[in-house]
Amino acid sequence: MKNLSLSLLLLFCTTLSYAQSDEAGILSAVNDYLEGGTNGDVNQFKNAFVPDAIQRSIGRNGTVIGMSVESLASKITPGKTMSRETSVLSWSYAGIAATAITETVYPSSKIIDLLNLLKINGEWKIVSRVYSRIESDETLSSSSQGGSVSVPAAPKTKTAPKKKVEAVVDDGW
């Protein structure tokens, strides 16, 4: 009986420390992204991502736009601290997949990032970023209740021809 209790305690502690290391790894990657950009540390910033991470938003003309990690990193001035405040609003994970929502507040607007991460060879990395620029006084809308949400059907319209995806985006940097 003592061996069974000891084994269960050991299993519980191992599981708890494993979960804590995943939590720390996720937050470390997200903070590398946020702090690297804020503090002008290009290597820290790039370390948060897989090299071919996908980054997307909607441009001024309504088309899907995006850029590479290299292109976004090139907007960082090495060693120069940006005038902005960042925070991790929420995060969650299951197994090897995680998601995090961050907020970056600039003097006149803010960026909300929806980040997806994967645990690759034991290390958490951002594999995709979808972002939205919103007004400074807007807040994030979310639901974490796990229930269903009723969304009205969109009216049917003719399908427009596909538009070319822009390669450059103004995401506040």
Side-chain angles (χ1 to χ4, degrees):
M1 185 66 173
K2 281 185 178 181
N3 285 341
L4 179 60
S5 296
L6 184 59
S7 295
L8 288 175
L9 179 63
L10 182 60
L11 178 62
F12 175 76
C13 290
T14 302
T15 302
L16 184 60
S17 68
Y18 181 74
Q20 288 174 339
S21 67
D22 279 334
E23 293 169 8
I26 292 162
L27 292 174
S28 177
V30 172
N31 283 319
D32 279 347
Y33 160 65
L34 295 173
E35 292 172 8
T38 298
N39 298 321
D41 187 334
V42 177
N43 289 331
Q44 181 182 16
F45 175 85
K46 288 169 46 175
N47 187 54
F49 294 89
V50 294
D52 60 346
I54 299 167
Q55 300 185 62
R56 298 284 187 258
S57 191
I58 300 293
R60 297 184 210 284
N61 63 1
T63 60
V64 175
I65 56 174
M67 64 176 30
S68 68
V69 173
E70 286 295 328
S71 180
L72 186 56
S74 73
K75 294 182 175 194
I76 297 171
T77 303
K80 182 178 179 190
T81 301
M82 286 190 191
S83 177
R84 67 185 199 174
E85 292 181 23
T86 63
S87 60
V88 178
L89 301 178
S90 68
W91 58 271
S92 61
Y93 75 100
I96 57 152
T99 187
I101 300 174
T102 67
E103 178 181 69
T104 303
V105 180
Y106 294 93
S108 62
S109 66
K110 56 185 166 182
I111 301 286
I112 301 296
D113 288 312
L114 307 175
L115 306 171
N116 289 304
L117 300 91
L118 288 175
K119 189 174 186 181
I120 303 166
N121 297 323
E123 190 174 11
W124 289 94
K125 296 287 184 179
I126 299 168
V127 296
S128 70
R129 170 183 176 243
V130 175
Y131 57 96
S132 180
R133 177 188 303 276
I134 61 176
E135 298 301 317
S136 294
D137 60 350
E138 283 187 72
T139 58
L140 175 69
S141 298
S142 69
S143 171
S144 60
Q145 302 303 314
S148 62
V149 176
S150 177
V151 178
K156 294 192 177 207
T157 60
K158 289 186 175 180
T159 304
K162 289 185 179 181
K163 295 181 180 179
K164 185 177 179 182
V165 176
E166 293 179 27
V168 179
V169 62
D170 175 14
D171 69 348
W173 291 32

